[in-house]
Amino acid sequence: MSKKKNKINNEEQAVPSIEAEKEAESFAEAEISKEMSESDEEKAKKKAIRRRKLKYGSVATAITVICIAMVVLVNVILNLASNSVNMNIDLTDDSIFEISQETKDYLNTIDEHVDIVCMSDELTFQTSTYIYLKQAYEVLKKYEIYSDNVEVTYVDVVENPTYIDRYSQSYSGEIDEYNIVIESDKRIKVISIEDLYDVEMNSYYQQEIVASNAEQVLTSAIMYVTDPSPIQAVVFSSESAGMSYDNVIEMLESNGYEVTEIDPLKEDIPEDTDLVVINAPLNDYNESIIDKLYSFLDNSGALGKNLIYIADNAQNDTTNINTFLEEWGISVGSGVVGDSDTANILGSNVYQIGCYIEDNDYSTNVSNTSLPVYVYYSRPISILFDTQDYRSTVNLLSTDETGFIMTDEIAEAQDESLLTYGEQSVMALGRKYMFDSDNNMVYSNVLVVGSAENLHSIFTGSTYYNNGEYFLSVLNTMTGKNTGISIVSKDLTSDSFDVTLQDYNICTAVFIVAIPLAVLIVGIVVYVKRRTK
């Protein structure tokens, strides 16, 4: 009985045990299913994250590639554009690395190809520590930028010496290293690097480059090689009383005149000469030279010739020259022109006068007629007649009514009451005219300037005076040359925008070290944050 009962009890106890096992199995299966479900979700999440990372990473990579490509493309475009567009900003006081508006305007008129070949490697000019070479390099670039018809090239003649042989048929002179060849289909001109600069002796008796004539010389050379018929100028070489002899030649050459010097005592004036320049001869000319001048200006009755006579108060007696000029209606007197009005004198010297230009046919090429012409110890000029026997005269420059003439006699007497006040001429033009077969008026002209010092480079190269620009305007109008321009030299002694060693080290630290390092750190931080998400 008791055994049966125990068996029944054991069976009853076994039933819940089996149920418990089933429940446990069900729970385990549920847990496994839950774990599997959570695992699938995690996998799905991770897969989504990977897809998102891949998507954003691809976009970021694409953006990076596009940005790099754009930077490269912009760099290429800028490099190509730098050959035709001025990409530099000149911060120097005198804009020494830029060319004038006059030259830019002239370059726009060129309609034929011009080659400018520098007989040196470009790197020497480009990286030179000498400001005059660097300045020449920058100026040369501007000619190519502002004209499609000008091409600048550099040839290292040390490595390629046979390159010079190509000019043997068109140029008989020597071409050396650092020479610059300007060539068109018409003709060729060769200049040296020394031609581009003004040199002075410093306080240590050493030669020092003080100013650049690069633009003057290069523009003049282009004028010369492109001019279909350049004006032939002859300068009479003789002992000069003035200080402007060399500068007058440079002014002519810088404005496209082809200049030759001759000794009038030994040589005749060439037949193709258009202009004769007589620059303040110390002594008078003999009758044979005067006869040469008569013959030149008459031109066998055809006229069409021009003469410039520059006087100076330091000359000896010039009776023959004065007599010749009087036939052209102009008399050059003795003494010195002064002005009693302190408003007209420059400084405190009454013989250094600021004369102002009147608007006429000869001042049309002057950009600013309000600037004075600096007149320095000028001899007085008298107009003998207005018109007479196919001749006429034009007064080109004079003082105000407060002007006077100080002669040696008055100076010795020390009596200012002897002075006569009135307008005093210091530049005048005499003309002889005729009518050609087409009934057109043809002139021969004689221009007289009262002082050689008026044409000194100190005054003609200054932006404060009109000495150079007005003289060239009169000359070009007189000779019929309308393409001449006046270009002022650039001062190379003025302060420039230099970078000190300390500034250089700071820039190096900032742009080469600090900025790249900051970009690298930011990149690492962004990368780590993305990896830990």
Side-chain angles (χ1 to χ4, degrees), residues 290 293-294 297 307 320-328 446:
I290 298 298
L293 296 177
Y294 277 121
L297 289 168
L307 171 71
N320 290 336
I321 296 175
N322 293 345
T323 301
F324 163 77
L325 293 174
E326 287 172 2
E327 292 194 25
W328 293 82
V446 174

Side-chain angles (χ1 to χ4, degrees), residues 132-200:
Y132 52 88
L133 285 180
K134 177 65 175 174
Q135 192 261 351
Y137 176 75
E138 292 296 332
V139 169
L140 281 164
K141 281 175 58 178
K142 301 303 186 295
Y143 284 85
E144 194 170 33
I145 288 172
Y146 291 110
S147 176
D148 295 334
N149 291 314
V150 176
E151 182 178 359
V152 180
T153 56
Y154 293 82
V155 178
D156 189 344
V157 292
V158 175
E159 294 186 359
N160 188 11
T162 60
Y163 185 89
I164 297 175
D165 296 341
R166 65 182 60 200
Y167 301 110
S168 59
Q169 299 297 320
S170 56
Y171 185 72
S172 59
E174 292 185 0
I175 299 177
D176 301 316
E177 186 180 11
Y178 291 107
N179 283 170
I180 300 175
V181 178
I182 297 91
E183 184 181 26
S184 71
D185 291 337
K186 293 184 178 70
R187 59 187 68 89
I188 183 175
K189 188 174 182 67
V190 178
I191 59 179
S192 66
I193 195 71
E194 290 81 7
D195 294 333
L196 305 183
Y197 311 105
D198 283 339
V199 179
E200 290 183 1

Side-chain angles (χ1 to χ4, degrees), residues 58-315:
S58 300
V59 172
T61 302
I63 292 174
T64 303
V65 171
I66 292 172
C67 289
I68 293 173
M70 289 179 65
V71 170
V72 172
L73 181 61
V74 169
N75 188 51
V76 171
I77 292 173
L78 290 177
N79 284 331
L80 292 174
S82 64
N83 293 325
S84 56
V85 178
N86 187 13
M87 308 292 289
N88 298 327
I89 299 175
D90 191 344
L91 299 178
T92 58
D93 292 337
D94 204 18
S95 297
I96 63 174
F97 300 113
E98 189 52 79
I99 60 176
S100 65
Q101 187 60 46
E102 289 82 2
T103 291
K104 295 175 187 176
D105 294 339
Y106 169 72
L107 291 174
N108 288 331
T109 67
I110 297 175
D111 57 2
E112 59 184 292
H113 186 76
V114 176
D115 283 313
I116 300 178
V117 183
C118 300
M119 299 302 169
S120 174
D121 65 293
E122 184 174 4
L123 195 62
T124 298
F125 280 83
Q126 190 176 14
T127 62
S128 176
T129 57
Y130 296 108
I131 188 172
Y132 52 88
L133 285 180
K134 177 65 175 174
Q135 192 261 351
Y137 176 75
E138 292 296 332
V139 169
L140 281 164
K141 281 175 58 178
K142 301 303 186 295
Y143 284 85
E144 194 170 33
I145 288 172
Y146 291 110
S147 176
D148 295 334
N149 291 314
V150 176
E151 182 178 359
V152 180
T153 56
Y154 293 82
V155 178
D156 189 344
V157 292
V158 175
E159 294 186 359
N160 188 11
T162 60
Y163 185 89
I164 297 175
D165 296 341
R166 65 182 60 200
Y167 301 110
S168 59
Q169 299 297 320
S170 56
Y171 185 72
S172 59
E174 292 185 0
I175 299 177
D176 301 316
E177 186 180 11
Y178 291 107
N179 283 170
I180 300 175
V181 178
I182 297 91
E183 184 181 26
S184 71
D185 291 337
K186 293 184 178 70
R187 59 187 68 89
I188 183 175
K189 188 174 182 67
V190 178
I191 59 179
S192 66
I193 195 71
E194 290 81 7
D195 294 333
L196 305 183
Y197 311 105
D198 283 339
V199 179
E200 290 183 1
M201 197 76 71
N202 61 22
S203 57
Y204 300 100
Y205 300 100
Q206 297 174 331
Q207 287 189 333
E208 180 182 11
I209 293 175
V210 295
S212 168
N213 296 317
E215 183 184 350
Q216 291 177 327
V217 173
L218 291 169
T219 301
S220 168
I222 295 174
M223 285 181 177
Y224 171 71
V225 301
T226 57
D227 194 333
S229 55
I231 294 177
Q232 304 295 317
V234 166
V235 177
F236 278 10
S237 61
S238 58
E239 187 177 2
S240 178
M243 301 294 291
S244 65
Y245 185 86
D246 291 336
N247 187 54
V248 169
I249 294 176
E250 290 177 5
M251 289 175 68
L252 292 171
E253 291 179 335
S254 297
N255 282 270
Y257 290 81
E258 189 167 357
V259 181
T260 306
E261 292 181 78
I262 69 168
D263 184 346
L265 284 170
K266 301 177 182 179
E267 303 172 79
D268 291 330
I269 301 172
E271 290 184 3
D272 62 347
T273 302
D274 302 298
L275 171 69
V276 169
V277 180
I278 302 173
N279 193 345
L282 182 61
N283 299 304
D284 199 10
Y285 287 153
N286 60 32
E287 291 184 2
S288 66
I289 297 178
I290 298 298
D291 288 340
K292 291 178 182 179
L293 296 177
Y294 277 121
S295 177
F296 165 71
L297 289 168
D298 184 65
N299 192 23
S300 300
L303 301 184
K305 300 296 183 178
N306 302 280
L307 171 71
I308 299 174
Y309 175 71
I310 304 169
D312 196 81
N313 71 86
Q315 290 175 287

Side-chain angles (χ1 to χ4, degrees), residues 42-58 531 533:
E42 288 180 1
K43 287 180 179 179
K45 286 182 180 180
K46 289 180 179 180
K47 188 174 182 180
I49 291 172
R50 284 197 298 270
R51 287 178 178 175
R52 188 166 58 251
K53 286 184 176 180
L54 180 61
K55 176 182 178 181
Y56 292 143
S58 300
R531 292 289 296 175
K533 283 184 179 180

Side-chain angles (χ1 to χ4, degrees), residues 19-43:
E19 290 178 355
E21 287 179 0
K22 287 182 179 180
E23 289 179 359
E25 287 177 358
S26 298
F27 179 78
E29 288 178 357
E31 289 295 323
I32 291 172
S33 177
K34 183 178 179 182
E35 289 178 1
M36 290 179 64
S37 179
E38 289 179 354
S39 177
D40 289 341
E41 288 181 4
E42 288 180 1
K43 287 180 179 179

Side-chain angles (χ1 to χ4, degrees), residues 270-492:
E271 290 184 3
D272 62 347
T273 302
D274 302 298
L275 171 69
V276 169
V277 180
I278 302 173
N279 193 345
L282 182 61
N283 299 304
D284 199 10
Y285 287 153
N286 60 32
E287 291 184 2
S288 66
I289 297 178
I290 298 298
D291 288 340
K292 291 178 182 179
L293 296 177
Y294 277 121
S295 177
F296 165 71
L297 289 168
D298 184 65
N299 192 23
S300 300
L303 301 184
K305 300 296 183 178
N306 302 280
L307 171 71
I308 299 174
Y309 175 71
I310 304 169
D312 196 81
N313 71 86
Q315 290 175 287
N316 295 324
D317 180 67
T318 55
T319 301
N320 290 336
I321 296 175
N322 293 345
T323 301
F324 163 77
L325 293 174
E326 287 172 2
E327 292 194 25
W328 293 82
I330 297 174
S331 174
V332 179
S334 59
V336 181
V337 174
D339 196 313
S340 59
D341 189 345
T342 56
N344 295 330
I345 65 175
L346 303 172
S348 58
N349 193 326
V350 295
Y351 305 110
Q352 299 177 18
I353 311 164
C355 294
Y356 290 88
I357 303 166
E358 296 182 4
D359 290 333
N360 54 42
D361 293 339
Y362 298 91
S363 61
T364 54
N365 294 321
V366 178
S367 58
N368 184 5
T369 56
S370 66
L371 294 176
V373 174
Y374 192 108
V375 177
Y376 186 93
Y377 284 86
S378 175
R379 290 177 66 179
I381 295 174
S382 299
I383 305 296
L384 303 181
F385 55 78
D386 292 328
T387 59
Q388 178 180 298
D389 299 330
Y390 295 98
R391 295 178 188 270
S392 62
T393 56
V394 181
N395 181 33
L396 295 174
L397 192 67
S398 59
T399 68
D400 285 344
E401 293 292 336
T402 50
F404 62 87
I405 301 172
M406 176 63 73
T407 63
D408 291 341
E409 293 76 16
I410 297 175
E412 290 176 4
Q414 297 183 351
D415 186 358
E416 293 188 2
S417 64
L418 299 175
L419 294 175
T420 301
Y421 293 90
E423 185 177 304
Q424 307 297 331
S425 175
V426 293
M427 183 187 293
L429 180 69
R431 315 184 75 186
K432 182 179 180 180
Y433 61 92
M434 60 162 288
F435 294 93
D436 62 14
S437 58
D438 297 324
N439 207 33
N440 294 318
M441 191 174 287
V442 180
Y443 289 93
S444 276
N445 303 287
V446 174
L447 173 65
V448 181
V449 180
S451 172
E453 306 314 312
N454 295 354
L455 301 177
H456 193 283
S457 59
I458 293 175
F459 306 131
T460 60
S462 173
T463 57
Y464 300 104
Y465 309 120
N466 259 326
N467 292 47
E469 193 165 352
Y470 186 50
F471 173 74
L472 289 172
S473 178
V474 172
L475 175 61
N476 292 333
T477 303
M478 182 177 78
T479 60
K481 180 180 173 60
N482 296 317
T483 57
I485 58 176
S486 177
I487 303 168
V488 177
S489 301
K490 300 294 181 67
D491 184 7
L492 297 182

